[in-house]
């Protein structure tokens, strides 16, 4: 999550031209970078929660991808609460 926020800031400050350039700099595919950046589609309170989580809590990025694909933030929150409850 923190990486997605950092990368978005780099694009907004014109430190990099676009996501494709970020992918090249990070030695990852554009598809992988898109997966990371899609975490920004999570509701803001979920993003904050993820940043504050202890590293002992095991939530995988692949699980978050499914939640980020949900447009309705209320539903995202419900799914995330269920996921976070089972992860702790």
């Amino acid at each position: 999550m923190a990486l997605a926020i950092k990368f978005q800031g780099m694009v907004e400050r014109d430190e990099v031209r676009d996501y494709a350039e970020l992918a090249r700099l990070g030695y990852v595919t554009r598809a992988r970078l898109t997966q990371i950046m899609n975490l920004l589609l999570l509701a803001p309170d979920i993003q904050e929660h993820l940043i504050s989580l202890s590293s002992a809590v095991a939530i995988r990025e692949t699980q978050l991808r499914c939640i980020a694909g949900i447009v309705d933030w209320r539903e995202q929150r419900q799914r995330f609460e269920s996921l976070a409850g089972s992860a702790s």
Side-chain angles (χ1 to χ4, degrees):
M1 187 74 252
L3 193 57
I5 293 168
K6 178 180 174 71
F7 285 169
Q8 185 61 37
M10 291 173 71
V11 171
E12 289 171 357
R13 290 186 302 274
D14 292 326
E15 293 174 19
V16 293
R17 189 173 49 244
D18 53 23
Y19 291 166
E21 184 176 352
L22 275 172
R24 282 190 300 277
L25 290 171
Y27 299 101
V28 296
T29 65
R30 287 185 287 175
R32 180 64 181 133
L33 189 72
T34 297
Q35 290 172 339
I36 293 167
M37 299 308 289
N38 280 346
L39 294 176
L40 296 172
L41 299 174
L42 291 167
D45 53 312
I46 295 174
Q47 293 182 29
E48 289 176 19
H49 188 83
L50 289 169
I51 289 170
S52 68
L53 277 178
S54 161
S55 59
V57 177
I59 295 179
R60 295 187 322 245
E61 181 266 340
T62 53
Q63 295 169 306
L64 294 171
R65 260 192 259 156
C66 295
I67 296 172
I70 299 169
V71 176
D72 181 20
W73 282 356
R74 282 177 292 185
E75 188 176 342
Q76 280 187 6
R77 289 178 182 109
Q78 290 171 350
R79 296 285 278 295
F80 181 76
E81 286 173 15
S82 175
L83 175 64
S86 66
S88 42

